[in-house]
Amino acid sequence: MRKELQKYFRNDKLPHIWCPGCGHGIITGAVIRAIDNLNLEQSKICIVSGIGCSSRAPGYMNFNTLHTTHGRALAFATGIKMANHDLKVIVLTGDGDCSAIGGNHFIHAARRNIDITTIVFNNSIYGMTSGQYSPMTPKGAFATTAPYGNIDRNFDLCKLGQSAGATYVARGTVYHVPQLIKLIEKALKHKGFSLIDVVDICPTYFGRRNKMGSPVIMMEKIREMSITAKTAAKLSPEELSGKIVIGEFCEEKAPEYTKEYNKIIKKAQGGNQNG
Amino acid sequence: MSKKIMLLQGNEACVEGALAAGMRFYAGYPITPSTEIAEISAEKLPKVGGKFIQMEDELASMGAVIGASLAGLKSMTATSGPGFSLKQENIGFACLTEVPCVVVNVQRGGPSTGLPTLPAQGDVMQTRWGTHGDHPIIVISPFSVREVYDMTIRAFNLSEKYRVPCILLMDEVVAHMRERVELPEKSSIDIINRKKIKPTILDYKPYMDYDGDCILPMANFGEGIPYHVTGLIHDISGSPSSDQKVTKTLLNRLMSKIYNNVADIIEYEKIYTEDAETVIVTFGTTARSVLRAVCLLRQEGLKIGLLRLKTIWPFAHMAIKELTQTPVKNLIVAEMNYGQLMETVKASAEGAFSVYGLNKYNGELITPQEVIDKVKEVAERA
Amino acid sequence: MIEKNIKILINEKACKKCGLCIAFCPTKVYASEGGKPLIVNLSACTNCKLCELRCPDYAIIVGGEDIE
Ligand SMILES: Cc1ncc(C[n+]2csc(CCOP(=O)(O)OP(=O)(O)O)c2C)c(N)n1
Ligand code: SF4
Ligand code: SF4
Ligand code: SF4
Ligand SMILES: [Mg+2]
């Protein structure tokens, strides 16, 4: 690892637990590089996760880090941000963690537009519990709990986040890393709820079950399937099926939750409840 | 400053006590009969620069409370029955990660949605063992509005001192009744804050027992010392570990920090126990009826006493032991449930007394007359 | 053309042999040696750093004067 990045890692905890070719390491690296590029103050960054392979990331990162309960990262993060809005709060979460058990917290954090950056390690599977289908597993894919193929339809996390009220929404992939770093930088600079859905790979469980074999083949798939948001805008729904649309979907200015609450404090202290 | 005399509802007294103790963050989800605690917190917290948030559910509320406490604010949530069930997983997280927080459970009839507006004391065992795994916890239970005030302060103090969730176990009656109370002067209130790390510590290990007393100093997130907090079993650096020795050492310390300090944590009140033949063991609102009954029975000349537990968990075994030094023969455990505390009292008595239950679980309070009838029934049996 | 002075450092101990660096180098700088990257065509390296960014185990550093 590059010398200038070492201070951001808990080097004595490496190597990480992730399988060979697991995309989680790539996303974690991208987050670190984005933080470094922006020169953010390390002691003012707080990284919160839930439970899953992906949620182990903060354990390797040298910041205020909190590895919470399955699905609840955004709830803990909301408390932290409310308590101290000077902290830059980042949530690292898996697709299951964020969209299944944590789905309610996800839409409500987005609705409040609280200044938290959420990065979803979206490998379309429950990796940690060895390969059950998640709300992000595509229809027709196989999982240990979908041995005949998955009949559930998957979420489009970006659409979900955007309609819930997120004010910065983008999708990147573990193949397109320079772009991913740029997207994370923009999300970190955004004031409000920002979401990055990162298309990720779990070679061990999703890959094997779906006969994709190696991390390399899974990456090739991402490369083949990816199109930019601009190109996608010109395509019909049929043409879009099976495509991964990457890039920015929304960037909006809207009142941020902790700032709004500070106004409440002023109001309450001024004694003018109606004003 | 003069003393404040106010007509307060139990739930109001809870918020007043919390603010006096230094509460600066509240997260909750409305549920009867605890809702006023949220409403009053929403009004009063911003006035003192504190923060209130209504979360999307109780799981989220508990999570937010832990997050805010880690970031340095004294934090509280309040709930009842179904909501208390939902909080359990994250209460366990706070136990293991040693994040101070106060959880108010205003008991209502259960199970399930049960009797939303009626009192019960059916959560005695849930407060102790509601979350999975061996864990430490402190539970205290008030019987008057003034005591709600005092005990809410105490809940914050215990929680900060021992870095453990403290549960204030109320019930519908004490929460909704109004009493005229005289609140103490602010300057006379003892406030305990979490142990801070000494500036001489350079390489902070968040789970290291620096002082050898099992109670760890705590750095708040954002104070410049980055560290890791996880709900996995962890070593002194905070990193996950499944090492057998690490696991055992951690769990032993978590338990020891409570059980080494029972003299400080456990409070109870004994009335007329020195010469009593029968002592009624009780807590919370039920103690009001029992107190009345004991006074009436004493007027009749019966040798009756009262043991009122203020701390429910850890259990006051010493109070039961003390009774073996008196003429007491019978214990009656009065509670608005099927006999939850009675089992523990029986175990604690180790056969030294005959233990009887006075139980009611229909949404009504136990009346003084019912206590009197039970005492007479036991006297005849004995 | 500017004289290139590119170095590639590979931390063999950290490498988990996933093969991503080898497969996706645009100029085929690496060959596989039992799954690990072997630098076989250093002069083709454009210093794009894609291999470094895509290595899940932070085992590669590519650069010129910026690495020592
Ligand atoms: C309350 C609860 N339910 C279930 C689990 C078991 N569990 C742990 S991780 C996980 C799924 C994780 O999937 P995802 O969030 O996609 O992360 P990944 O492992 O794929 O990175 C599950 C179901 C748990 N830890 N807690
Ligand atoms: S199981 Fe899948 S998600 Fe988990 S570390 Fe292995 S490859 Fe990554
Ligand atoms: S990408 Fe990294 S881990 Fe994978 S083969 Fe190359 S050096 Fe090894
Ligand atoms: S920096 Fe680019 S060109 Fe050079 S080895 Fe890596 S991927 Fe290939
Ligand atoms: Mg997953």
Side-chain angles (χ1 to χ4, degrees):
Chain A
M1 186 191 311
R2 219 160 253 279
K3 223 193 238 140
E4 60 267 33
L5 296 184
Q6 277 174 12
K7 65 175 180 197
Y8 298 115
F9 284 92
R10 297 189 168 115
N11 295 290
D12 55 328
K13 308 297 177 214
L14 294 172
H16 53 60
I17 56 162
W18 297 317
C19 309
C22 174
H24 293 350
I26 303 174
I27 304 174
T28 304
V31 174
I32 292 286
R33 288 169 174 108
I35 288 172
D36 183 56
N37 292 346
L38 296 178
N39 246 320
L40 299 178
E41 198 182 330
Q42 208 165 339
S43 64
K44 294 284 175 226
I45 293 178
C46 187
I47 305 185
V48 188
S49 68
I51 296 290
C53 294
S54 36
S55 288
R56 295 297 284 266
Y60 304 111
M61 303 165 85
N62 193 20
F63 303 90
N64 306 291
T65 52
L66 179 61
H67 179 217
T68 69
T69 45
H70 192 25
R72 317 297 169 200
L74 276 164
F76 284 73
T78 297
I80 293 171
K81 187 71 190 178
M82 281 289 279
N84 183 352
H85 50 73
D86 291 338
L87 291 173
K88 179 93 230 159
V89 181
I90 304 169
V91 165
L92 305 182
T93 171
D95 50 310
D97 197 61
C98 174
S99 72
I101 192 164
N104 203 30
H105 310 310
F106 172 67
I107 56 174
H108 288 281
R111 175 179 60 82
R112 292 184 190 107
N113 194 34
I114 190 164
D115 187 17
I116 295 172
T117 296
T118 297
I119 297 169
V120 186
F121 291 47
N122 179 3
N123 57 11
S124 315
I125 201 86
Y126 289 168
M128 177 131 270
T129 44
S130 56
Q132 301 76 26
Y133 63 91
S134 91
M136 298 306 298
T137 306
K139 198 166 180 228
F142 293 91
T144 57
T145 46
Y148 305 107
N150 181 29
I151 59 167
D152 284 30
R153 297 188 301 170
N154 60 291
F155 277 130
D156 180 326
L157 259 189
C158 291
K159 280 189 184 153
L160 179 63
Q162 195 175 345
S163 50
T167 45
Y168 180 83
V169 179
R171 184 178 291 116
T173 85
V174 289
Y175 180 82
H176 308 87
V177 186
Q179 181 200 25
L180 177 61
I181 294 170
K182 287 274 160 326
L183 293 174
I184 297 173
E185 284 175 29
K186 281 197 77 173
L188 290 173
K189 281 195 287 190
H190 181 76
K191 295 274 171 271
F193 189 85
S194 52
L195 164 70
I196 302 194
D197 175 20
V198 189
V199 179
D200 189 3
I201 57 173
C202 167
T204 305
Y205 293 113
F206 192 89
R208 276 195 213 150
R209 271 271 154 179
N210 290 283
K211 311 244 171 334
M212 288 173 167
S214 70
V216 171
I217 294 173
M218 295 185 84
M219 280 286 215
E220 277 168 353
K221 277 252 173 221
I222 292 181
R223 182 174 61 187
E224 278 163 28
M225 290 161 72
S226 296
I227 56 168
T228 63
K230 266 197 201 120
T231 314
K234 292 177 221 138
L235 299 183
S236 67
E238 294 77 54
E239 288 169 312
L240 274 174
S241 98
K243 294 275 185 279
I244 300 168
V245 185
I246 57 173
E248 292 176 320
F249 300 103
C250 107
E251 187 178 5
E252 220 178 281
K253 266 204 173 128
E256 191 276 322
Y257 193 78
T258 57
K259 291 232 166 68
E260 291 299 295
Y261 197 84
N262 284 343
K263 291 185 199 159
I264 293 287
I265 293 179
K266 285 218 178 82
K267 229 187 230 181
Q269 292 182 339
N272 182 359
Q273 303 272 335
N274 309 315
Chain B
M1 218 182 94
S2 63
K3 285 179 193 157
K4 266 200 283 187
I5 295 175
M6 300 165 90
L7 182 69
L8 279 186
Q9 188 198 49
N11 280 343
E12 255 178 308
C14 176
V15 180
E16 290 298 333
L19 290 169
M23 168 175 77
R24 288 298 176 270
F25 183 80
Y26 180 100
Y29 189 82
I31 184 165
T32 306
S34 74
T35 304
E36 294 84 1
I37 300 177
E39 291 169 340
I40 302 164
S41 297
E43 185 205 331
K44 297 213 162 166
L45 268 171
K47 290 189 177 172
V48 295
K51 284 145 190 184
F52 169 90
I53 186 169
Q54 182 171 308
M55 295 298 285
E56 51 275 17
D57 58 31
E58 287 84 352
L59 297 136
S61 309
M62 197 61 224
V65 157
I66 297 168
S69 180
L70 266 169
L73 297 189
K74 289 192 182 176
S75 304
M76 181 172 97
T77 184
T79 188
S80 178
F84 192 56
S85 293
L86 288 181
K87 286 185 195 291
Q88 294 302 330
E89 188 193 9
N90 285 340
I91 290 176
F93 183 89
C95 292
L96 182 69
T97 56
E98 302 179 66
V99 178
C101 53
V102 173
V103 181
V104 181
N105 177 17
V106 182
Q107 294 169 100
R108 64 191 226 181
S112 190
T113 311
L115 299 166
T117 59
L118 298 176
Q121 294 176 313
D123 303 349
V124 170
M125 280 298 163
Q126 193 190 15
T127 56
R128 180 63 195 90
W129 296 115
T131 194
H132 57 281
D134 291 314
H135 60 278
I137 198 120
I138 299 176
V139 182
I140 56 179
S141 186
F143 89 134
S144 68
V145 172
R146 169 62 201 256
E147 207 173 67
V148 169
Y149 179 86
D150 293 337
M151 277 203 187
T152 308
I153 296 172
R154 186 155 196 265
F156 274 96
N157 284 348
L158 289 169
S159 160
E160 289 283 318
K161 182 168 180 184
Y162 296 108
R163 288 187 58 179
V164 68
C166 184
I167 294 169
L168 184 72
L169 188 62
M170 300 184 19
D171 62 64
E172 190 277 333
V173 171
V174 82
H176 281 159
M177 84 185 160
R178 287 182 184 277
E179 284 183 316
R180 194 173 158 278
V181 293
E182 192 183 298
L183 297 184
E185 280 182 45
K186 282 263 147 62
S187 58
S188 70
I189 301 171
D190 281 330
I191 302 294
I192 302 177
N193 295 314
R194 57 193 71 173
K195 202 197 272 183
K196 302 298 298 178
I197 61 162
K198 298 191 178 76
T200 45
I201 298 172
L202 294 175
D203 180 22
Y204 175 53
K205 298 261 184 293
Y207 292 93
M208 174 133 130
D209 187 2
Y210 285 100
D211 303 325
D213 59 357
C214 301
I215 302 162
L216 313 183
M218 181 166 172
N220 297 325
F221 276 6
E223 284 181 349
I225 309 165
Y227 66 99
H228 189 52
V229 176
T230 175
L232 287 164
I233 297 291
H234 42 268
D235 61 21
I236 56 168
S237 75
S239 285
S241 169
S242 48
D243 180 90
Q244 294 164 2
K245 216 175 126 210
V246 167
T247 306
K248 195 174 162 188
T249 309
L250 173 59
L251 288 182
N252 282 344
R253 186 179 56 71
L254 290 181
M255 296 300 176
S256 300
K257 78 178 173 185
I258 302 304
Y259 290 102
N260 289 352
N261 293 295
V262 287
D264 179 43
I265 295 167
I266 295 177
E267 281 186 354
Y268 50 89
E269 183 180 25
K270 289 191 289 186
I271 298 172
Y272 303 134
T273 54
E274 307 76 28
D275 65 341
E277 277 175 19
T278 297
V279 166
I280 305 165
V281 184
T282 191
F283 64 96
T285 301
T286 307
R288 299 173 77 92
S289 298
V290 174
L291 186 58
R292 173 105 187 106
V294 167
C295 292
L296 291 171
L297 288 164
R298 278 273 161 185
Q299 280 168 18
E300 283 183 37
L302 272 87
K303 297 211 151 125
I304 303 297
L306 166 66
L307 169 62
R308 180 168 75 89
L309 301 178
K310 297 170 151 191
T311 304
I312 310 294
W313 305 111
F315 183 76
H317 291 290
M318 67 278 237
I320 304 291
K321 284 277 152 340
E322 281 162 15
L323 293 177
T324 60
Q325 311 300 314
T326 69
V328 175
K329 291 200 204 81
N330 308 308
L331 299 183
I332 298 172
V333 185
E335 48 187 336
M336 284 187 279
N337 61 41
Y338 234 85
Q340 296 190 16
L341 198 65
M342 183 177 66
E343 295 303 325
T344 305
V345 172
K346 266 188 189 162
S348 185
E350 291 178 327
F353 316 104
S354 301
V355 181
Y356 304 89
L358 171 54
N359 305 102
K360 202 167 174 187
Y361 31 82
N362 62 354
E364 273 181 334
L365 288 179
I366 294 174
T367 62
Q369 190 56 49
E370 285 166 327
V371 179
I372 292 169
D373 293 346
K374 186 76 191 181
V375 168
K376 294 194 168 161
E377 179 200 316
V378 166
E380 274 163 33
R381 239 196 272 183
Chain C
M1 222 181 121
I2 314 154
E3 174 72 16
K4 288 191 296 183
N5 183 21
I6 294 170
K7 279 188 210 141
I8 301 178
L9 304 180
I10 294 169
N11 178 348
E12 295 222 2
K13 257 172 59 193
C15 171
K16 287 184 187 161
K17 308 184 198 171
C18 68
L20 292 177
C21 54
I22 306 163
F24 296 105
C25 166
T27 55
K28 300 274 166 271
V29 169
Y30 303 112
S32 171
E33 190 189 42
K36 292 192 181 187
L38 181 70
I39 303 161
V40 289
N41 196 5
L42 184 61
S43 60
C45 176
T46 61
N47 196 9
C48 72
K49 296 188 173 37
L50 283 170
C51 55
E52 179 176 338
L53 297 180
R54 284 196 192 116
C55 173
D57 288 273
Y58 323 119
I60 305 178
I61 309 176
V62 185
E65 276 75 56
D66 57 335
I67 56 166
E68 257 350 295

